[in-house]
Amino acid sequence: MGNYLLRRLFIAIPSLLGISVVLFTVLALAPGDPFEELASNPNIPPEVRAALRLKFGIDDPVFVRYFRWLSAMAQGDWGFSFVSRVNVDSLILQRLPATLIVIGSSQILALLIAIPVGVYAATRPYSIFDQIANTLAFVGFSLPTFFTGLLMILVFSIWLDWLPFVYRSDIAATGWRFYWEHVRQAVLPVAVLGVFQAASYTRYVRSAVLDVIRLDYVTTARAKGLDERVVIVKHVVRNALIPVVTLVALQMPSVFGGAIVTEQIFRVPGIGSLLISSILANDTPVIMAVTFVFACLVVLFNLIADILYGWLDPRIAFR
Amino acid sequence: MNEQELRGLINEVKDGTVSRRAFIQRLAAVGLAAPLATQLLSFAGVAHAQTQYAYKPTKAGGGGALKLLFWQAVTLINPHFAVGTKDQEGSRVFYEPLAGWDQEGNLVPFLAAEIPSRENGGLAADGLSVTWKLKQGVKWHDGKPFTADDVVFNWEYVKDPATAATTIGSYKDVIVTKIDTYTVKVAFQKPTPFWADAFVGAVGMIIPKHLFADYIGAKSRDAPTNLKPVGTGPFRFVDFKPGDVLTGERNPDYHIPNRPHFDTVELKGGGDAVSAARAVIQTGEYDYAWNMQVEDEILVRMEAGGRGKTMIVQGGDIEFITLNTTDPWTEVDGERSSTKTQHPLLSDPAVRKALSYLVDKDSVQKFIYGRTGIATPNFVAAPARYASKSTSYEFSIEKANQTLEAAGWKRGSDGIRAKDGKKLKMVYQTSINAPRQKTQAIIKQACQRAGIDLELKSVTASVFFSSDVANPDTYTKFYCDMQMYTVTMLQPDPERFLQQFASWEISNKDNKWQGRNISRFRSEEADKAIRASSSELDPIKRAAELIKINDIAITNHIVIPVVTRPRVFAASNKMTTHISGWDNSLWMLHSWYRE
């Protein structure tokens, strides 16, 4: 096991290096200028843009910039944002809590919906409940979050005026009010993301439970005269959740990606909105760092999923 | 408008037959920004008007939280690093200049004790210096006194190229000296009629010497105070998350009595302009939103029965079309649009004139920009409702056809005009942005009816406005026949603005396309006027020269102005704000209040 882990980690290093080369090259080929806003203001002399480009090393050849980035990264220096001149690591750390809260709660919400609905639907296949659940799940993951997000803003913020649609990281209130305000503003983004995720998880849970429920040991358990609830919860769901757990682990990076749009709509100050605004501003060091973090997440969660497989299902050996 | 007329007009202001406001409007109509107009008056011995602002609260504080929404988030709060106006606005919450510009172009003192004038001896008669008296008893947020040393330091800090300050243009050519603890002298290299530049308005915010002194030049990025500003302004710094939110609390020691009204200020950023407008006008979640680049139709719809209103303030920004005077399709010495060439079609004045007849500015205003873009005949933008006497515009397909016909451009079988085997086919580029593409379509249609075939091209804004030398699609390279964009006029001196027609500013390979003259226009007459305006001692003669440059560009159809773009803001109905088109929108934040 330890040996396997070590080997996998060693494989991860060259893949991350490869990813970083690709990211850097793509960014270098992409046109744009972090100081473009200075362009159409005749009060700012063009020399200032030139001086800034020189100062931040933007005009150096790509490979020079890449090795500078790599060696700095190896020493734990993530560089600084051209636009805000703040260190990239502190910028990311500032954004992480909001992302984790929103994504974390939306995942919990998604599982809280998906597991009961999926299991119940699978135990009564082709019943009316199953058909309704299936239809809703289909609708749920066909509707993109940018659409449902706007729809919810329109209904809950503008027509009904119940909930705010601007997410704030600096709520001035204290005590219970502080938590209440946080919950209120998180409701819409969490619901939008959670419902979207719940839809795809529901279909997955349903099919996983259907696979398990036909197996012989379930029939045996029933034949022993066990209560149906015990059969489902103890025998079926536990085994059916093995693939679901790995699915959730593998989906995490794409969930971060999917949250980018939602973050933008609700102005959640998360990593996703940081990535979008830096792409719009051509802020290369930040784009590089955030995308690299995403790449690391993909590699890491793949590894976790592999380990989880072996741990949950001893038939898979580590070799 | 010539020198004599100007002098007559100024005398009428002195006599009282013409009001200050009417004078400013007359000058604006021929293309001079309001601040320059008032500077003219101050040089002619007419004192600056002291504008009084409505301010009802009788004590400081008690106004609760002020919530501002900026769809472009503030990314840094050192005013001298500001990359866009959003950063200047963020800095303006904490920092103040010596004086700011109001909507009429008058100077309003902040850290200055009084506005320099000829009477109080602040303005030298030779135009070579201006002496500022500083307000006494002003304290930085950390309790240290504000003095002349701080002002001199700001000049040293900004003029150092290694600091890479974006405000360097206003400081590099002046010399600032301390006269005494509360007096500072700004000396110019040549007589400068537009003297209120350094330390004034958006570029003039003053940072404390005692906290920045160790971070001058190459170390400028390392200053801890870049992120935790200590200023003299109405609010003290509390917290800043770049790209997200900026918060401040009331400065109890603020140097203007009874202000500010609000206890805290929050500047939230991110998202898009439409939803920002919605959060202010429709749901009232926020008190104020900045720069509403939203189609007017949508704003009007939101305003109906909403909790907020839009405010439209005239500034100097202009959306215009540039016509290339050089040949963008032939490469000479490794560059296209080389000054060694002549444009095959546009070098014919008749073609340029015909094009100017074909830009339907009124329709562009009516159907695209609404209240947020006003048709104008002038390049140096001005309120268009005061029709200019020396320039005008007309949309007439008929006249365009006549002009072309008379110049020998004959229609071919495909309806496109041609002369000497050259067809009237041109490429017209702009950045990707819905109103711009709609404007392109309107102009293309009109051109078709006059026998001109326009190929429309749209470039991503990040490429179009980039300074990337390797990219052929930047607006400074101008590798096509016509292009359209907006130049901003945040801090208003038309002299720099009009250098866009100076032959020594031509954008080309030698200056890495950093020159300001994008059309590559060369005219001895214009050069002479630009030189004359920049060294002219007499402000009235200078103004006449500046107006002349504008008129040369317009009558030669080097540029075709489309619409001026006023600044658009949204505020809650209960708010009283004081917005100026010549300064940052938060310049008078200390006098905002809510009823």
Side-chain angles (χ1 to χ4, degrees), chain A residues 206-222:
Chain A
R206 179 181 174 273
S207 70
V209 172
L210 270 183
D211 281 346
V212 175
I213 215 164
R214 296 196 195 102
L215 295 179
D216 290 345
Y217 78 93
V218 178
T219 318
T220 316
R222 281 214 183 98

Side-chain angles (χ1 to χ4, degrees), chain B residues 465-522:
Chain B
F465 294 114
S466 144
S467 59
D468 187 354
V469 176
N471 207 307
D473 289 327
T474 61
Y475 83 108
T476 52
K477 282 203 172 161
F478 198 3
Y479 283 177
C480 73
D481 307 296
M482 299 163 68
Q483 67 180 0
M484 178 170 70
Y485 57 96
T486 288
V487 273
T488 55
M489 194 167 172
L490 185 67
Q491 179 270 332
D493 178 19
E495 186 192 318
R496 273 190 213 142
F497 215 70
L498 289 166
Q499 283 186 0
Q500 296 182 77
F501 306 111
S503 64
W504 58 90
E505 280 284 347
I506 284 178
S507 165
N508 60 22
K509 200 172 81 177
D510 295 333
N511 57 24
K512 289 191 176 164
W513 293 279
Q514 297 284 317
R516 287 201 195 97
N517 182 346
I518 310 289
S519 65
R520 280 87 159 159
F521 172 62
R522 274 157 302 164

Side-chain angles (χ1 to χ4, degrees), chain A residues 26-209:
Chain A
V26 169
L27 274 182
L29 289 176
D33 183 342
F35 309 112
E36 76 190 48
E37 263 184 86
L38 304 178
S40 55
N41 185 345
N43 288 320
I44 296 174
E47 303 93 85
V48 172
R49 287 171 94 191
L52 278 168
R53 290 181 71 95
L54 187 73
K55 187 171 176 181
F56 294 160
I58 301 173
D59 289 329
D60 295 340
V62 182
F63 67 92
V64 174
R65 275 155 58 200
Y66 176 71
F67 283 109
R68 197 164 52 211
W69 176 83
L70 191 67
S71 69
M73 201 74 169
Q75 293 160 34
D77 174 9
W78 293 46
F80 63 90
S81 154
F82 292 155
V83 171
S84 62
R85 320 219 179 154
V86 175
N87 287 334
V88 173
D89 42 359
S90 55
L91 213 52
I92 290 182
L93 282 179
Q94 228 161 44
R95 299 302 190 99
L96 213 54
T99 303
L100 289 181
I101 289 172
V102 171
I103 290 186
S105 348
S106 70
Q107 287 299 296
I108 292 170
L109 177 72
L111 290 173
L112 284 181
I113 297 173
I115 294 177
V117 172
V119 171
Y120 195 78
T123 49
R124 286 161 190 75
Y126 309 111
S127 64
I128 291 188
F129 179 86
D130 185 30
Q131 277 167 0
I132 292 174
N134 252 326
T135 314
L136 285 184
F138 207 80
V139 172
F141 77 74
S142 314
L143 290 177
T145 51
F146 63 80
F147 177 76
T148 47
L150 287 180
L151 199 70
M152 284 188 151
I153 287 179
L154 214 61
V155 174
F156 293 103
S157 297
I158 292 170
W159 290 348
L160 298 173
D161 205 3
W162 287 350
L163 297 167
F165 68 90
V166 176
Y167 190 101
R168 297 164 59 198
S169 50
D170 68 319
I171 286 173
T174 47
W176 284 109
R177 218 185 134 64
F178 175 83
Y179 292 104
W180 173 237
E181 286 288 315
H182 259 291
V183 170
R184 252 168 58 92
Q185 67 176 2
V187 168
L188 286 183
V190 167
V192 166
L193 267 180
V195 168
F196 180 73
Q197 280 294 317
S200 63
Y201 287 165
T202 305
R203 287 169 59 86
Y204 207 78
V205 171
R206 179 181 174 273
S207 70
V209 172

Side-chain angles (χ1 to χ4, degrees), chain B residues 274-384:
Chain B
V274 177
S275 77
R278 190 165 280 147
V280 172
I281 302 174
Q282 228 168 4
T283 68
E285 251 179 279
Y286 279 79
D287 297 313
Y288 170 87
W290 158 93
N291 195 2
M292 297 288 81
Q293 282 185 10
V294 179
E295 280 179 64
D296 198 31
E297 258 180 88
I298 301 177
L299 288 176
V300 171
R301 225 182 308 149
M302 280 184 193
E303 275 176 304
R307 295 172 193 172
K309 59 197 173 212
T310 48
M311 292 172 295
I312 293 165
V313 177
Q314 196 54 250
D317 302 354
I318 182 150
E319 175 89 3
F320 69 105
I321 298 169
T322 307
L323 301 182
N324 202 342
T325 60
T326 56
D327 186 356
W329 311 113
T330 314
E331 200 174 291
V332 178
D333 298 338
E335 78 177 306
R336 283 156 62 182
S337 292
S338 157
T339 46
K340 292 179 187 119
T341 60
Q342 282 243 316
H343 195 283
L345 312 170
L346 289 169
S347 52
D348 182 349
V351 176
R352 292 209 301 266
K353 190 168 182 193
L355 278 171
S356 77
Y357 278 128
L358 293 168
V359 177
D360 189 358
K361 301 175 189 186
D362 293 323
S363 293
V364 170
Q365 172 182 345
K366 191 171 165 200
F367 298 111
I368 300 173
Y369 289 94
R371 294 170 297 173
T372 64
I374 293 146
T376 174
N378 286 307
F379 180 64
V380 176

Side-chain angles (χ1 to χ4, degrees), chain B residues 404-440:
Chain B
L404 290 171
E405 203 70 46
W409 294 91
K410 301 283 172 218
R411 269 182 203 270
S413 53
D414 52 358
I416 297 166
R417 291 179 185 276
K419 183 182 171 183
D420 307 331
K422 284 180 287 194
K423 277 196 167 187
L424 269 184
K425 277 185 167 186
M426 281 180 278
V427 179
Y428 170 20
Q429 77 178 10
T430 187
S431 75
I432 295 180
N433 161 319
R436 290 205 171 120
Q437 267 73 67
K438 287 185 191 164
T439 310
Q440 275 184 320

Side-chain angles (χ1 to χ4, degrees), chain B residues 50 263 347 459 552:
Chain B
Q50 290 295 323
D263 298 310
S347 52
V459 184
I552 292 171

